[in-house]
Amino acid sequence: MQQEAVSYDKSIVSRQRILVTGASGFIGSRVVKKLILMPNYHITCITRSKTSIGNEMGVSGDIINVLKIDALNYEDLLKAMNGIDTAFYLIHSMEGASQNWRKFADRDRMSAQNFARAATANNVKKIIYLGGLTHAKKKEMSEHMLSRTEVGDILRTSSAKVTIFRAAVILGQGGGSFQMLKYLVERLPLMVCPKWVLTKTQPIAIEDVVEYLVRSIELSETDGKTFDIGGEEVLTYLDMMKRYATLLNKSIRIVIIPFLTPRLSSYWVDLITPVKASLARPLIDSLKHEAIVGDNSIRKIIPIKLKKFEDAVKSA
C-alpha cells in the first residue's frame, strides 16, 4: 500500500499532534468532531476506507490530515505516528460474515501489537483507549470482552502512558448495543428474549464517553490509569427496552426464555434488525456478566453532568 506523506507546516508546530484511529467509526468520528473545535490540536485521522472527513467538517488540511491505513500494516502505521503526541486507539474489528466472527480477536491483537510498537518507536507520550466494562475473571469472560481486555494489556507494553476507559452499553446512533435496542422495540410488539436481558449494566451516552476521552488528553491525573465510566443509573436491557418503548408511547410484551443461546439470539437479532449476527453474537455473549461501574474516581477528575437514559436516547 502506498503511504501518503505526512507533512507539517510552521503554523502547526506549536500545536499538540493528536492521532485518532477508527476516525470514521462510531466513537472515532465523534472524537474528531470535538477535537477540531479545539485550536490547540492538529489531528491526524486514520481510517481503512478514506473519506473526505475534513471536507465534511468544513476544516482545512492544516487542522486535520486524513490517511487511509490499516493498522495491520506496521510500516504505514509507523510513518503515520511520526511526531504524534497523543494517540487514540479506537479500532474494533467485530465485522464480516457470521461464520467468521471469532476472527475479530486475531485482528485486534495484531493491530494492537503494531500500534504499541509504532508508538514506542515514535516516542508517543500518551495513548487513550476505550475498552469494555467487566469485572469478570479472564477465564469467565466472553471472547469479545476478553479481546477488549487483551488489547488494553498489549497497549500497556508500549513506552507511552496508557489511559484506559471501560464502558458498557453506549447509547448513540450507530452503536451496536443501541441499534439492537432501537430496532427490537420499534419493530416488535411481542419479543421472545433470552435471560441476558436481565443482566445489570450501566449505560452511558455517547456524548459523555467522548467528553471523558477528549478531556483526558490534558490531564496527567489520567496517565497510566484505568477508569470505569457509566451513566447515573444501573439498568437491565429489559429496563431499557421498556423505557424506550415508553418514550415512543408504545406497548410491548416481553417473554423471557432462559434456554435461548447467544447464537440463536444473534440470528434472531440479525433477522429483525440491521445489526448483523457477526456483531450481535459477541455483544450478546458479553452480556452474561454484569457491567457496573466499580470505581467512580473519574467523576472527580473529569466532573461532567451525565445524561439521563431518556435524554441520551432522545439525542441518539
Side-chain angles (χ1 to χ4, degrees):
M1 179 189 298
Q2 288 190 344
Q3 170 64 46
E4 299 178 33
V6 181
S7 60
Y8 303 102
D9 58 39
K10 294 180 180 179
S11 66
I12 66 172
V13 169
S14 61
R15 295 179 187 162
Q16 185 172 166
R17 296 167 183 168
I18 310 295
L19 178 82
V20 181
T21 59
S24 58
F26 172 51
I27 305 293
S29 62
R30 289 168 169 86
V31 168
V32 172
K33 288 179 181 178
K34 193 167 187 68
L35 286 173
I36 61 175
L37 300 176
M38 301 179 176
N40 297 329
Y41 302 139
H42 176 270
I43 307 128
T44 295
C45 299
I46 288 181
T47 175
R48 281 181 299 177
S49 54
K50 185 170 180 179
T51 60
S52 55
I53 293 175
N55 293 336
E56 291 173 1
M57 298 181 184
V59 294
S60 61
D62 63 345
I63 296 176
I64 186 171
N65 186 32
V66 183
L67 302 174
K68 181 181 178 181
I69 289 177
D70 190 327
L72 293 175
N73 187 315
Y74 174 71
E75 294 301 325
D76 283 355
L77 196 58
L78 184 66
K79 294 176 183 177
M81 295 181 78
N82 179 39
I84 294 298
D85 297 301
T86 297
F88 284 91
Y89 191 86
L90 303 173
I91 297 171
H92 208 304
S93 300
M94 282 199 307
E95 58 184 23
S98 300
Q99 64 268 29
N100 295 324
W101 72 270
R102 284 190 178 89
K103 293 183 180 180
F104 75 79
D106 294 331
R107 294 195 296 269
D108 274 350
R109 184 180 304 110
M110 292 178 62
S111 295
Q113 290 169 345
N114 286 344
F115 197 84
R117 287 174 56 207
T120 298
N122 283 292
N123 196 30
V124 173
K125 298 178 181 65
K126 187 169 187 173
I127 294 174
I128 301 171
Y129 168 60
L130 178 64
L133 176 54
T134 182
H135 299 290
K137 296 178 181 179
K138 285 190 176 181
K139 63 181 180 180
E140 299 173 348
M141 289 183 188
S142 67
E143 291 194 44
H144 162 53
M145 201 58 67
L146 185 61
S147 174
R148 298 283 77 205
T149 301
E150 182 184 22
V151 165
D153 292 340
I154 292 171
L155 295 177
R156 286 197 190 97
T157 66
S158 75
S159 62
K161 295 177 180 177
V162 180
T163 299
I164 298 176
F165 290 98
R166 307 195 312 166
V169 173
I170 298 177
L171 301 172
Q173 192 66 37
S177 297
F178 177 73
Q179 295 300 93
M180 285 196 297
L181 170 70
K182 169 183 167 65
Y183 287 102
L184 287 173
V185 173
E186 290 181 356
R187 294 183 176 182
L188 296 177
L190 171 64
M191 280 183 271
V192 177
C193 297
K195 63 181 180 180
W196 57 259
V197 298
L198 299 177
T199 303
K200 292 180 180 179
T201 186
Q202 201 159 343
I204 183 171
I206 179 63
E207 294 88 352
D208 294 339
V209 172
V210 172
E211 188 73 12
Y212 280 131
L213 291 172
V214 172
R215 287 179 60 176
S216 68
I217 295 173
E218 305 284 353
L219 295 174
S220 59
E221 297 95 322
T222 65
D223 291 354
K225 296 180 181 178
T226 298
F227 299 98
D228 294 351
I229 55 176
E232 293 284 4
E233 297 179 274
V234 174
L235 302 169
T236 65
Y237 217 84
L238 179 62
D239 294 330
M240 289 189 282
M241 288 192 288
K242 288 181 176 179
R243 286 171 67 165
Y244 186 68
T246 299
L247 282 175
L248 299 178
N249 195 27
K250 180 179 179 181
S251 176
I252 60 171
R253 294 180 60 198
I254 298 173
V255 178
I256 297 175
I257 300 180
F259 56 79
L260 272 180
T261 66
R263 181 177 182 180
L264 289 175
S265 298
S266 67
Y267 290 147
W268 176 59
V269 170
D270 193 356
L271 178 66
I272 302 299
T273 81
V275 180
K276 298 297 182 183
S278 56
L279 174 59
R281 185 172 174 184
L283 286 177
I284 292 170
D285 197 35
S286 66
L287 289 172
K288 64 184 179 182
H289 296 293
E290 291 187 352
I292 301 172
V293 172
D295 179 2
N296 278 316
S297 59
I298 191 62
R299 295 195 184 185
K300 293 181 179 179
I301 300 171
I302 305 177
I304 63 175
K305 185 177 181 180
L306 296 166
K307 285 181 177 291
K308 295 181 180 179
F309 174 80
E310 280 76 10
D311 293 333
V313 168
K314 289 176 183 177
S315 179

